[in-house]
């Protein structure tokens, strides 16, 4: 490619093709061999400092050299979140069609903030939002929504909307209710919006990790008596820790009776709506005023793609519309949505395209089967663990999440010893780069948590990992016994 000139950003068509084809080859190879790759990466700051030169590059470098450097030194050093043995947090099972769609959206640099700028992008966003509204039983004509960078931004957008619609400008006496299992992004959002800590009511969960309805009712009653303004309940449909769905029907009833805003955070669990048993678990989700779902989780999209759905699209424009003079010529009629009026961002990438193209290409039935596979697989794993005298299931398979711990019956280990043992197993699995399997804490117990939403995860992967966990666990117990005997 040419040396630095004022036109340096211009590549010839042939140069672009050569470069682009190389990237397509790299990606096709990546997707093709992903299941055989090492899922875990580790690298401390010192190692990364040694690996990557951070000099400001004043002079140009050959494109191939930079590309080779990136494929050799950068891309391999990330955990493979789409790998079948990435079991932790919420995995990111992406798909090739969406990855390519994202390249098109980026390549064309579509600005999807204003209708006048890109009417088709706005229309595709409306279409894909309608698909989601339909799936979740929200009204299509009256309802609305917006794609965001992820669930955290969708929750923030939802709570900003709720505050504006229900409270206007004065929210000093308002109280918000959410369970101790709600995702931290909700607390972050509440704080970003300027609510004080004293306005947040963290409602304890019951033995099944569901928000306690009795405690919720008590908290609302207490606040009302004290002259405060109960305002919003955040229910979770698919908690991050256990996959639990809060009692949505009962929460909806309370919200209606007390005139509270009902927000449902289904960032992770929302995808389950596609399967029959998921749908029945999520019953009541259609009653929400606002709903967060993350297509970059269980709708198999690459990062970043979150989504907020609302019962009434006017709530969004009511919350986010400003009329700066420099945008006066982009203001059209209300049916021609300017998505910058429906959320926080003005300049927005064309996120809807990847959901649109992948849904059309694979068909909803493929998405459904993938979700159903994961739910079934998690239940099968639960059966397997329950049949073994070595494992204890701590929270049952729920929306593709399961928590368990190694607790061989004949050892009579104390809670403290069990915690140390399970932490050890997780650390060893990661050290061996065999899987990403980290711990969480449930009712003071350290547990191994799996979130199995990747359709490429099969029983053979799970059995491999469980067997390896057992061998690390047994080694640990043997060594412990030897040191006690000595
Ligand atoms: C229930 C829930 N809500 C919100 C989020 C945050 O979503 P994101 O990471 O896309 O911002 C997560 C992420 O795991 C989640 O599980």
């Amino acid at each position: 490619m040419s040396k630095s000139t004022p036109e340096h950003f211009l590549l010839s068509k042939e140069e672009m093709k050569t470069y682009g084809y190389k990237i397509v080859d790299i990606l096709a190879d990546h997707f093709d061999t992903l299941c055989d790759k090492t899922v875990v990466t580790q690298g401390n700051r010192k190692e990364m400092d040694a690996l990557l030169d951070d000099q400001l590059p004043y002079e140009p470098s050959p494109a191939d050299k930079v590309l080779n450097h990136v494929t050799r030194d950068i891309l391999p050093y990330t955990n493979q979140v789409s790998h079948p043995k990435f079991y932790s947090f919420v995995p990111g099972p992406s798909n090739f069609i969406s990855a390519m769609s994202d390249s098109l959206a980026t390549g064309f640099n579509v600005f999807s903030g204003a209708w006048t700028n890109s009417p088709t992008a706005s229309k595709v966003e409306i279409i894909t939002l309608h698909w989601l509204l339909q799936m979740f039983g929200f009204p299509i004509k009256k309802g609305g929504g917006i794609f965001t960078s992820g669930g955290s931004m969708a929750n923030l957008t939802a709570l900003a909307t709720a505050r504006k619609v229900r409270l206007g400008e004065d929210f000093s006496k308002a109280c918000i209710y959410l369970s101790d299992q709600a995702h931290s992004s909700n607390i972050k959002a509440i704080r970003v919006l300027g609510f004080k800590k004293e306005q947040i009511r963290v409602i304890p969960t019951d033995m099944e990790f569901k928000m306690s309805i009795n405690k919720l009712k008590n908290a609302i009653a207490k606040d009302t008596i004290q002259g405060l303004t109960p305002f919003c309940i955040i229910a979770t449909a698919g908690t991050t820790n256990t996959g639990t769905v809060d009692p949505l029907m009962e929460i909806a009833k309370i919200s209606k009776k007390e005139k509270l805003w009902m927000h449902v955070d289904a960032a992770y669990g929302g995808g389950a709506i596609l399967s029959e048993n998921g749908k029945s678990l999520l019953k009541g989700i259609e009653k929400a005023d606002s709903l967060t779902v993350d297509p970059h989780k269980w709708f198999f999209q690459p990062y970043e793609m979150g989504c907020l759905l609302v019962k009434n699209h006017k709530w969004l424009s009511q919350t986010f519309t400003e009329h700066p003079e420099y945008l006066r010529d982009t203001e059209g009629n209300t049916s021609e949505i300017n998505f910058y009026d429906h959320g926080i961002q003005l300049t927005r990438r064309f996120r809807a395209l990847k959901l649109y193209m992948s849904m059309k290409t694979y068909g909803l039935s493929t998405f459904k089967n993938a979700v159903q596979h994961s739910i079934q697989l998690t239940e099968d794993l639960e059966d397997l663990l329950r049949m073994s005298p070595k494992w204890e299931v701590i929270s049952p398979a729920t929306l593709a999440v399961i928590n368990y711990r190694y607790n061989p019956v004949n050892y009579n280990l104390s809670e403290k010893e069990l915690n140390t043992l399970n932490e050890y197993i997780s650390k060893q699995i990661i050290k061996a780069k065999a899987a990403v399997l980290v711990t969480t804490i449930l009712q003071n117990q350290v547990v191994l948590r799996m979130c199995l939403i990747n359709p490429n995860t099969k029983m053979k992967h799970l059995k491999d990992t469980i067997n390896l966990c057992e061998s690390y666990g047994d080694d640990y117990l043997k060594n412990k016994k030897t040191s006690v005997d000595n």
Side-chain angles (χ1 to χ4, degrees), residues 124-152:
V124 168
E125 184 150 355
I126 291 169
I127 292 171
T128 40
L129 284 168
H130 282 181
W131 291 346
L132 290 165
L133 288 168
Q134 189 183 338
M135 283 177 212
F136 287 99
F138 271 44
I140 293 176
K141 256 198 153 161
K142 201 169 164 206
I146 187 161
F147 291 118
T148 61
S149 55
S152 304

Side-chain angles (χ1 to χ4, degrees), residues 90 150-152 155 183 185 236 238 240 265 267-268 294 296-297:
V90 179
S152 304
N155 284 334
H183 191 267
S185 60
T236 310
T240 318
D265 179 0
Y268 140 68
D294 250 357
H296 69 203
K297 294 188 167 72

Side-chain angles (χ1 to χ4, degrees), residues 351-414:
R351 294 192 178 95
L353 186 65
K354 55 188 163 190
L355 190 60
Y356 182 80
M357 287 178 70
S358 57
M359 282 234 169
K360 275 189 165 303
T361 307
Y362 297 117
L364 191 63
S365 58
T366 305
F367 284 71
K368 267 185 168 191
N369 290 339
V371 169
Q372 191 55 51
H373 161 81
S374 298
I375 292 178
Q376 187 60 52
L377 181 72
T378 317
E379 288 172 5
D380 292 347
L381 176 64
E382 181 182 340
D383 290 345
L384 185 94
L385 294 169
R386 288 201 193 277
M387 276 186 304
S388 161
K390 295 182 164 188
W391 290 100
E392 184 187 1
V393 173
I394 303 294
S395 81
T398 314
L399 297 185
V401 174
I402 183 165
N403 289 280
Y404 52 88
R405 65 179 178 177
Y406 198 51
N407 184 5
V409 281
N410 43 346
Y411 276 87
N412 287 324
L413 298 167
S414 68

Side-chain angles (χ1 to χ4, degrees), residues 284-323:
I285 205 165
E286 70 285 352
K287 309 265 182 211
D289 294 297
S290 56
L291 170 65
T292 287
V293 255
D294 250 357
H296 69 203
K297 294 188 167 72
W298 220 352
F299 282 91
F300 313 107
Q301 301 305 309
Y303 303 139
E304 300 174 344
M305 190 175 196
C307 176
L308 169 66
L309 300 176
V310 287
K311 274 279 160 61
N312 186 338
H313 65 85
K314 288 195 180 136
W315 293 338
L316 294 177
S317 44
Q318 187 184 335
T319 307
F320 294 104
T321 303
E322 298 290 335
H323 296 285

